[in-house]
Amino acid sequence: KKTPEPDASLRVGCVDGGQGDAPARLEGRSVVLEPPQGLTDEAAPRPRLDVVLALPAPLRLKRILPTVASLGVDRLWLCGSARTERSYFGAKF
């Protein structure tokens, strides 16, 4: 079992609010977080996410696109590979 270090803190945040560091301490068998003194309104910048994907079959691509969008992918690169059928490039779904 791990216990927090004497000066341990945990990064915390509020939904639609700020973020900050909350000091943690051990009380008995529980870890207690103290409310942070001040929350900053600055949100951490979202990391850029680009995906390179070999062009799948049209039905698979149709299932993949909503997942890619929900992950917040900035750019999706579809490329051919030795196993990609040429007919997939002109397919409509």
Side-chain angles (χ1 to χ4, degrees):
K1 292 182 179 181
K2 290 188 174 186
T3 58
E5 299 292 324
D7 294 327
S9 65
L10 181 67
R11 190 86 174 145
V12 297
C14 297
V15 176
D16 295 330
Q19 57 186 346
D21 294 319
R25 68 177 193 281
L26 190 61
E27 283 186 6
R29 297 182 66 186
S30 301
V31 175
V32 177
L33 295 175
E34 297 176 15
Q37 296 299 323
L39 296 177
T40 61
D41 289 334
E42 291 182 23
R46 186 178 67 84
R48 288 187 47 93
L49 180 61
D50 295 338
V51 174
V52 177
L53 182 68
L55 184 65
L59 291 177
R60 287 189 181 163
L61 180 60
K62 190 175 182 178
R63 283 184 271 171
I64 290 171
L65 289 178
T67 304
V68 168
S70 69
L71 291 173
V73 171
D74 291 316
R75 290 187 290 182
L76 174 64
W77 296 82
L78 296 173
C79 59
S81 69
R83 295 182 62 185
T84 300
E85 292 187 30
R86 297 290 169 218
S87 62
Y88 291 172
F89 287 100
K92 296 178 182 174
F93 60 89

